[in-house]
Amino acid sequence: MKIKKFIISALFLAIGFILHQLTPPFLFGMKPDFLLVMMFIAIFAAEDYKLTICIGLISGLLTAATTTFPGGQISNIIDKIITSQIVYIMFKLLRYKLNKNISMILIAVIGTFISGIIFLTSAFFIVGLPITFKALVLTVVLPATVVNSIVSFIIFKIVNTALKYSIQN
């Protein structure tokens, strides 16, 4: 693993963390999970399994530190570690089959949905849910999936352009 990949991944996660902190909730207390978006982009840019494990763990710790879900700290860590592994596998499977932009949209949709389901499932078993699982999926996970997918595509295009012109391989 190259130190450059670690630094770029750390920058992406830091940017995601800051955006996550600064974004106000706008729909039933839900806000776009910029840290999740940047986790996807960091995994895409890293293309390294060991680094993906680190990215997932750090993302989980950062979201655990900032969660507004009652008792959601452990669930956030579980969610991000598992989601990062699934996203890495999806990136590897889609890498040469689809355009990068289409791959990113698909991964953002599937990854965000899976992340929400894993979070709710682990929260259900660890601390319980304030309302029904189905209601949370319909009112939080699905809208977050739509918003995160749009945000992922936009940020991915920006990051891709910036990386193309600023970093020499």
Side-chain angles (χ1 to χ4, degrees):
M1 287 185 286
K2 293 183 178 180
I3 192 76
K4 180 173 70 172
K5 288 184 179 184
F6 276 104
I7 292 169
I8 290 171
S9 297
L11 286 171
F12 288 156
L13 295 181
I15 291 166
F17 177 73
I18 291 167
L19 290 173
H20 186 73
Q21 286 297 99
L22 296 177
T23 307
F26 62 87
L27 180 65
F28 302 115
M30 189 264 319
K31 58 184 178 178
D33 190 346
F34 285 107
L35 191 55
L36 185 66
V37 169
M38 295 309 281
M39 181 181 87
F40 295 159
I41 294 171
I43 292 168
F44 191 84
E47 295 185 24
D48 183 277
Y49 183 70
K50 291 177 189 174
L51 188 52
T52 295
I53 294 169
C54 293
I55 290 168
L57 180 61
I58 298 302
S59 296
L61 292 171
L62 290 172
T63 54
T66 61
T67 186
T68 56
F69 190 88
Q73 290 79 12
I74 296 171
S75 297
N76 269 298
I77 295 169
I78 293 168
D79 154 39
K80 296 301 186 282
I81 291 171
I82 294 171
T83 301
S84 67
Q85 308 309 298
I86 294 169
V87 166
Y88 178 80
I89 292 166
M90 288 191 312
F91 273 128
K92 286 296 186 181
L93 291 174
L94 296 175
R95 183 202 276 172
Y96 300 112
K97 294 183 176 154
L98 297 173
N99 175 303
K100 283 184 178 183
N101 295 325
I102 295 170
S103 293
M104 187 53 161
I105 292 169
L106 277 175
I107 288 167
V109 169
I110 296 167
T112 303
F113 186 77
I114 288 171
S115 174
I117 297 299
I118 292 169
F119 176 82
L120 291 178
T121 302
S122 60
F124 173 75
F125 287 111
I126 295 169
V127 294
L129 298 175
I131 59 175
T132 67
F133 188 89
K134 182 179 179 180
L136 285 169
V137 169
L138 293 174
T139 61
V140 179
V141 175
L142 289 178
T145 299
V146 171
V147 171
N148 267 17
S149 300
I150 294 166
V151 169
S152 291
F153 178 72
I154 293 167
I155 292 177
F156 179 70
K157 293 295 283 181
I158 293 167
V159 166
N160 245 2
T161 303
L163 287 176
K164 186 185 336 180
Y165 292 110
S166 66
I167 296 176
Q168 302 298 321
N169 292 327

